[in-house]
Amino acid sequence: MGRGIAQVFAYAGHDITIIDFKERNEQESLNLIREAKAEIKENLEFLESLDVISASDIEPIIDKIKGVSLGEAEYVLESADYIFEGVPEVLEAKKDAIKRASILASDRTIIASTTSTMLVTQLMEYSSRPENFLNAHFLNPAYLIPLVEVSPSEKTDQNHLKKFLALLESIGKSTVT
């Protein structure tokens, strides 16, 4: 799901960084990032075949997507405006990613879990800033389906929620809260 979300934001003109949040050696991380970009390129070529985009659009979109390993995550997360957590639907993996991301992120960063199976009230407990946390369930494939289900908790700051909804709408998404 993370790859599709990255594609949507890059297509809309945003600079994106995919973070390999799993402990692995540098070569494995590079391979993972290469695979992600290759999948996104295939998706864009599919859109080109449908005359949704032109061939000349593909490389500029791909160029908006960078990738880093876990060792570089701190530098990326501390300057991020938004973080979309997209680890597998395993509670321990979500817990770890949300805890680490909320510690490394600035106090203004909005963190969204892209889960489709876990409640925001459960996951917000792992964030050191629950007022900046919410769930954002993109439907698959994220680059085709416009709907995003956004689930704030009772602790989510309403201004952060409004800002987040505006971001999603600015990239062509329809939101349901």
Side-chain angles (χ1 to χ4, degrees):
M1 185 58 72
R3 295 170 182 189
I5 295 168
Q7 178 180 332
V8 169
F9 278 94
Y11 179 79
H14 294 272
D15 291 321
I16 302 302
T17 303
I18 298 172
I19 300 172
D20 179 9
F21 227 43
K22 189 173 182 179
E23 190 73 48
R24 30 179 140 232
N25 71 45
E26 191 67 28
Q27 190 57 51
E28 290 172 328
S29 281
L30 288 172
N31 289 342
L32 183 80
I33 301 302
R34 253 189 240 113
E35 288 171 14
K37 290 179 84 168
E39 180 181 318
I40 292 168
K41 186 173 183 179
E42 284 179 27
N43 293 342
L44 292 169
E45 289 168 346
F46 170 68
L47 292 176
E48 180 206 358
S49 76
L50 299 175
D51 292 326
V52 174
I53 63 173
S54 68
S56 62
D57 293 330
I58 294 173
E59 284 310 313
I61 294 168
I62 294 294
D63 289 344
K64 293 236 162 250
I65 303 169
K66 306 298 181 233
V68 300
S69 65
L70 180 59
E72 300 168 278
E74 178 178 354
Y75 306 107
V76 174
L77 294 177
E78 70 186 8
S79 64
D81 295 321
Y82 301 91
I83 297 170
F84 289 85
E85 169 275 308
V87 300
E89 296 287 307
V90 176
L91 183 58
E92 282 305 310
K94 297 278 185 195
K95 178 180 177 180
D96 176 62
I98 293 165
K99 274 186 169 184
R100 287 192 289 148
S102 68
I103 290 168
L104 295 172
S106 78
D107 59 0
R108 65 170 171 67
T109 303
I110 297 171
I111 300 176
S113 176
T114 62
T115 186
S116 61
T117 61
M118 297 177 199
L119 297 174
V120 69
T121 51
Q122 178 183 26
L123 296 178
M124 73 169 189
E125 297 298 326
Y126 307 126
S127 174
S128 60
R129 294 184 191 93
E131 67 277 8
N132 295 12
F133 185 82
L134 48 79
N135 281 357
H137 174 220
F138 288 72
L139 298 170
N140 201 9
Y143 69 94
L144 287 179
I145 309 295
L147 186 66
V148 180
E149 177 186 34
V150 178
S151 302
S153 77
E154 67 278 355
K155 293 184 179 180
T156 305
D157 181 285
Q158 290 302 300
N159 289 324
H160 290 325
L161 175 60
K162 288 177 190 171
K163 184 178 173 184
F164 189 78
L165 293 172
L167 172 72
L168 293 176
E169 290 166 6
S170 77
I171 64 164
K173 293 298 182 183
S174 299
T175 59
V176 174
T177 305

